[in-house]
Amino acid sequence: QVQLVESGGGLVQPGGSLRLSCAASGFTEDDYGIGWFRQAPGKEREGVACISTSDGFTYYANSVKRRFTISRDNAKNTVYLQMNSLKPEDTAVYYCAADRHELSCSGDVLKNEYWGQGTQVTVSS
């Protein structure tokens, strides 16, 4: 069975940094898409950053480009999201998601196959 476990969320001041981790387990195939998504109160869940385990191509939402970096360690089956220069509008529950077929990192992101529990990120002074 597939499991995704996030960690690293918390409270940070504007301009600060956090690093989120997502540990994936239970996949029977080597190739899958994985990424980070977030949902703020009263808003739709949106894609933040995604990465392919096969070729390493990445996607970033325009709102986080030049501030967030997604990376992976295939040997550990772990994906990271380094978040720098955090803003109050980054406040949300951050989710890790994966899909064995085609990961959706924009548009209808809820169709992605597997989801973690989520971790709260709050940016406030």
Side-chain angles (χ1 to χ4, degrees):
Q1 56 184 0
V2 174
Q3 292 185 1
L4 302 173
V5 181
E6 303 104 328
S7 62
L11 175 65
V12 65
Q13 295 183 0
S17 298
L18 285 173
R19 190 178 76 155
L20 306 182
S21 299
C22 174
S25 63
F27 286 95
T28 58
E29 299 178 358
D30 292 334
D31 295 337
Y32 56 90
I34 192 166
W36 290 96
F37 304 78
R38 68 185 182 187
Q39 188 165 18
K43 299 187 68 176
E44 299 290 329
R45 192 169 300 185
E46 63 178 353
V48 176
C50 298
I51 191 168
S52 170
T53 59
S54 59
D55 55 26
F57 282 102
T58 58
Y59 162 88
Y60 295 96
N62 287 334
S63 60
V64 307
K65 286 180 179 177
R66 296 172 295 279
R67 299 190 298 119
F68 293 8
T69 303
I70 188 170
S71 61
R72 59 176 169 83
D73 185 337
N74 285 343
K76 297 181 179 180
N77 294 318
T78 301
V79 177
Y80 306 94
L81 183 68
Q82 179 66 46
M83 303 185 293
N84 298 326
S85 302
L86 283 162
K87 304 174 181 179
E89 51 262 44
D90 295 317
T91 296
V93 177
Y94 283 71
Y95 298 90
C96 180
D99 199 285
R100 293 174 295 173
H101 308 292
E102 183 177 353
L103 182 74
S104 178
C105 208
S106 64
D108 186 16
V109 304
L110 295 182
K111 75 181 185 68
N112 291 318
E113 195 168 3
Y114 304 105
W115 291 87
Q117 187 86 5
T119 184
Q120 177 71 47
V121 172
T122 302
V123 184
S124 176
S125 60

